[in-house]
Amino acid sequence: MAAQKHHSLAFKSLIIAAFLLFHCVGFISGAVATTELQLSQHNQGQWLLLLNNTGVVAMHMALTNRNTVLMFDQTGSGPSAYRLQHRFNGRRCTGSRDDLQDSSCYAHSVEYDISSNKIRPLRLYTDPWCSSGSFLSNGTLLQVGGYGRGSRSIRYFRPCGDHLCDWRQSGRLLRSDRWYASNQLLPGNDRVIVVGGRRAFTYEFVPKRSPNEGAFDLPFLHRTYDRNAGGNNLYPFLHLSSDGNLFIFANRDSILFNPRQNRVVKTYPRIPKVGARNYPSSGSSVILPLDYKNKFQKVEVMVCGGSTPGAFRAANEGRFLKGLSSCGRMVITGNKHKWNMENMPGPRLLNDMLVLPTGHVLIINGAKHGCAGWNNARNASLQPYLYTPHQKLGRRFSVLRATRIPRMYHSSAILLPDGRVLVAGSNPNNRYTFRNVAYPTELRLQAFVPHYMDRRFHHYRPQNVTVHYASGENFGVKHGEEFGVGFWLDRKPSKDLEFNIYAPPFTTHSISMNQRMLKLRCRTMATAGGGRINALVEAPPSPDVAPSGYYMLTVVNDGIPSFSQWVRFIDA
């Protein structure tokens, strides 16, 4: 981990030795923001081609705290680019015709090393097609469900530094088949809730409270199921509220659910505008950044895109209906709840929504017509949209530079520690198919480079960010405690200096599970000479606000983010 461990006494002494100790607001109050005009003039971003062939379609993608990226696909889509030496049963793979048909002779998962831009094949033991995942507090990816024998599987991937780690298949199984289910890490004890799935109107936990614990019925999933449209409540949107309750959105409806008591706390109004938002209509959703200024008590979710009524049946008949362009925002805390609606620059479905280090939302990938499913969409959405939550209504969306590579069904996108967005995948075909189809299987790997990474902003960018844990806390920062953040800046910090932490998600099928950003409070800040700045930052107050685990910490100066460093928050 990039964080450096120092004793709190030594760190405080360093601050005192600088002869300048200020409250953060006082320290930066004299600075003047100068980049807003520049950002408005040059905000298109750039696209970079990183690899011509990842070997495996990135149907699922996740960033690990070792700065590697897991990508994996269904095992039944045909031979990948990576041959394995042995089958599941240990028999050697040869060049025979049988081997060419044996999925266990090929890797369907890879680990991508960001710094070296290289791929390492991994072995999957069961099919994770349309599965879900959550990172545990030690950085392990818990990955559950899938298809066939994989529908009840529990898999683990613990990232390592020697590039020898691989998938581990648990001997335990889920209680129900989980195909197109969603995951959310809950506060405390690395407990994950798994919600829904095809023909699964229940939820369950991993790990179980007892060996006999089963799945629990969730009537909300029965009510939101659309039998004539492929479900429209699969891959429900899950967001953890700051009170520890779970926001669940499916089709057009949503509830706040207490998973400890198996109780619906409140039912929210239906999102306006006709058309569903969940799979196979496949819009997307984020929880907007939580902020220390309101003690993390204002929790607001956003839902964008999806398909119009009848899109699923029409697509099966070869007709592709225009998708939804509407977005809804709603504060889920407090007592008054209303969806505030606005429109994207165009219709969109199969889209990913990512929270950038600046707190803005990037909407990327997808299509303009149709719905999810094999070859069920047309007219690729090539231009990303940037959404600025705090701008005035009507000025929040901007259109960014277009890619030349369609990213349709089974594509994905994730944020990297250096601020780029990794984009991969796209395969609307049930096999690897590279010709004579509307949208061939896509194996190229790209990075979208937002405008804030441009060289002209380097003199605003905080450099060499380091994280300092307290004495004796070698494994992380306890909730509610202070920790040190050091960085270099060749000018006085802006009045808009922020310390943002980001929980990297597990991304698949337009869903970024467990994605979360928090704006933390800076308690004190001081210069240490030569442009070095040391700050004391306050950790999130509880696991309800920020479940224990690894987060990317970014120092944002006047809208320009540093490269992120990993920080781990642990239960007190």
Side-chain angles (χ1 to χ4, degrees):
M1 192 182 82
Q4 298 180 9
K5 287 83 174 178
H6 294 275
H7 295 297
S8 60
L9 179 60
F11 181 74
K12 292 179 179 178
S13 298
L14 178 63
I15 296 177
I16 295 172
F19 297 106
L20 290 169
L21 183 62
F22 302 95
H23 290 289
C24 290
V25 175
F27 180 78
I28 60 183
S29 61
V32 178
T34 61
T35 61
E36 284 301 317
L37 179 60
Q38 293 169 312
L39 294 182
S40 66
Q41 292 172 345
H42 305 280
N43 63 353
Q44 294 298 298
Q46 299 179 20
W47 287 91
L48 298 178
L49 180 65
L50 302 179
L51 291 174
N52 277 312
N53 193 338
T54 56
V56 170
V57 169
M59 179 188 295
H60 315 79
M61 195 154 62
L63 170 71
T64 78
N65 67 294
R66 293 282 186 171
N67 290 335
T68 63
V69 177
L70 294 174
M71 307 178 196
F72 51 102
D73 194 12
Q74 65 185 98
T75 60
S77 56
S80 73
Y82 298 104
R83 287 283 304 276
L84 299 176
Q85 294 183 347
H86 297 90
R87 297 180 173 86
F88 294 153
N89 60 14
R91 290 172 51 204
R92 188 170 183 84
C93 293
T94 65
S96 69
R97 183 174 181 178
D98 289 342
D99 286 356
L100 294 176
Q101 303 298 321
D102 188 347
S103 65
S104 67
C105 283
Y106 292 88
H108 299 280
S109 175
V110 296
E111 184 182 33
Y112 170 71
D113 187 279
I114 299 169
S115 61
S116 67
N117 197 40
K118 292 183 179 179
I119 293 284
R120 182 173 71 93
L122 304 172
R123 178 186 288 279
L124 286 165
Y125 293 90
T126 54
D127 194 348
W129 180 16
C130 303
S131 52
S132 58
S134 296
F135 280 105
L136 304 180
S137 62
N138 66 356
T140 296
L141 178 64
L142 167 69
Q143 213 279 315
V144 301
Y147 180 73
R149 281 197 319 117
S151 63
R152 295 176 60 199
S153 291
I154 301 173
R155 312 169 190 87
Y156 295 94
F157 185 91
R158 178 77 180 270
C160 59
D162 56 12
H163 301 295
L164 296 177
C165 41
D166 211 329
W167 287 101
R168 179 171 62 87
Q169 184 86 20
S170 173
R172 299 180 182 274
L173 295 174
L174 299 170
R175 294 297 181 181
S176 300
D177 293 346
R178 300 292 175 186
W179 195 25
Y180 301 96
S182 296
N183 267 21
Q184 176 65 51
L185 178 65
L186 298 175
N189 302 317
D190 274 343
R191 192 162 166 84
V192 171
I193 187 170
V194 189
V195 180
R198 180 156 286 175
R199 294 180 294 276
F201 303 97
T202 60
Y203 68 92
E204 61 182 292
F205 299 100
V206 180
K208 305 295 182 189
R209 291 192 182 98
S210 67
N212 296 324
E213 183 183 77
F216 302 88
D217 188 58
L218 187 58
F220 173 74
L221 294 178
H222 292 277
R223 294 196 303 270
T224 54
Y225 181 71
D226 188 344
R227 179 177 305 183
N228 298 319
N232 269 340
N233 68 347
L234 304 179
Y235 274 133
F237 303 144
L238 307 180
H239 298 299
L240 181 68
S241 183
S242 58
D243 60 3
N245 291 319
L246 187 66
F247 175 82
I248 307 176
F249 183 104
N251 201 327
R252 293 178 59 197
D253 296 318
S254 52
I255 58 173
L256 189 66
F257 184 72
N258 185 327
R260 299 174 297 277
Q261 300 177 1
N262 187 26
R263 181 173 65 90
V264 175
V265 177
K266 63 176 71 173
T267 299
Y268 296 101
R270 172 171 289 182
I271 191 170
K273 309 292 185 181
V274 295
R277 308 288 180 158
N278 295 85
Y279 187 92
S281 288
S282 293
S284 194
S285 177
V286 294
I287 179 172
L288 295 178
L290 306 180
D291 200 319
Y292 77 92
K293 293 177 182 177
N294 55 49
K295 299 181 180 180
F296 307 104
Q297 294 307 298
K298 180 182 178 181
V299 181
E300 188 171 11
V301 300
M302 184 175 184
V303 176
C304 287
S307 300
T308 52
F312 182 75
R313 177 173 294 179
N316 289 331
E317 297 171 352
R319 297 181 293 111
F320 305 98
L321 304 184
K322 185 177 180 180
L324 302 179
S325 60
S326 61
C327 294
R329 284 173 58 170
M330 181 174 65
V331 177
I332 65 172
T333 47
N335 298 317
K336 295 182 180 180
H337 308 292
K338 177 185 177 182
W339 287 103
N340 297 301
M341 304 302 294
E342 53 194 308
N343 286 323
M344 294 184 286
R348 205 159 195 142
L349 55 119
L350 307 176
N351 50 288
D352 292 283
M353 294 179 68
L354 298 175
V355 182
L356 298 179
T358 56
H360 299 167
V361 178
L362 182 71
I363 303 175
I364 198 167
N365 296 343
K368 299 178 182 180
H369 292 79
C371 66
W374 301 130
N375 286 298
N376 276 354
R378 291 293 187 273
N379 197 0
S381 296
L382 301 177
Q383 294 176 306
Y385 301 149
L386 184 68
Y387 182 81
T388 308
H390 299 300
Q391 276 283 9
K392 293 182 179 179
L393 185 65
R395 300 181 59 187
R396 295 172 181 165
F397 283 102
S398 56
V399 179
L400 306 182
R401 192 179 305 278
T403 179
R404 297 181 179 179
I405 302 176
R407 300 290 183 176
M408 306 289 280
Y409 188 46
H410 292 154
S411 62
S412 53
I414 58 167
L415 178 67
L416 297 180
D418 61 17
R420 295 176 299 164
V421 174
L422 196 69
V423 180
S426 185
N427 189 20
N429 316 289
N430 60 3
R431 304 280 292 180
Y432 281 23
T433 308
F434 300 100
R435 57 182 61 88
N436 301 323
V437 290
Y439 293 99
T441 301
E442 185 55 68
L443 296 174
R444 285 173 289 183
L445 181 67
Q446 289 176 288
F448 177 72
V449 186
H451 66 271
Y452 54 62
M453 294 191 66
D454 194 277
R455 185 171 300 175
R456 67 185 182 275
F457 298 131
H458 279 2
H459 59 291
Y460 290 96
R461 192 181 317 283
Q463 305 283 350
N464 301 322
V465 175
T466 54
V467 176
H468 307 266
Y469 293 162
S471 175
E473 298 296 343
N474 293 328
F475 301 105
V477 182
K478 292 181 179 179
H479 289 95
E481 293 192 350
E482 295 176 352
F483 63 100
V485 178
F487 58 96
W488 294 90
L489 198 61
D490 64 1
R491 58 176 55 217
K492 183 180 288 187
S494 159
K495 63 180 179 181
D496 297 319
L497 191 75
E498 295 181 338
F499 296 84
N500 297 339
I501 59 168
Y502 177 80
F506 174 83
T507 301
T508 186
H509 289 77
S510 305
I511 315 253
S512 292
M513 302 178 195
N514 294 278
Q515 179 176 222
R516 194 175 193 85
M517 176 174 283
L518 293 87
K519 296 179 180 293
L520 301 185
R521 181 182 183 185
C522 173
R523 301 287 299 188
T524 59
M525 190 184 302
T527 60
R532 185 68 178 175
I533 298 173
N534 294 307
L536 282 177
V537 179
E538 191 174 284
S542 72
D544 288 348
V545 172
S548 298
Y550 284 95
Y551 291 72
M552 294 193 299
L553 181 138
T554 312
V555 183
V556 183
N557 179 48
D558 201 10
I560 305 303
S562 69
F563 288 7
S564 301
Q565 292 294 330
W566 292 99
V567 58
R568 187 184 182 193
F569 297 107
I570 57 179
D571 293 337

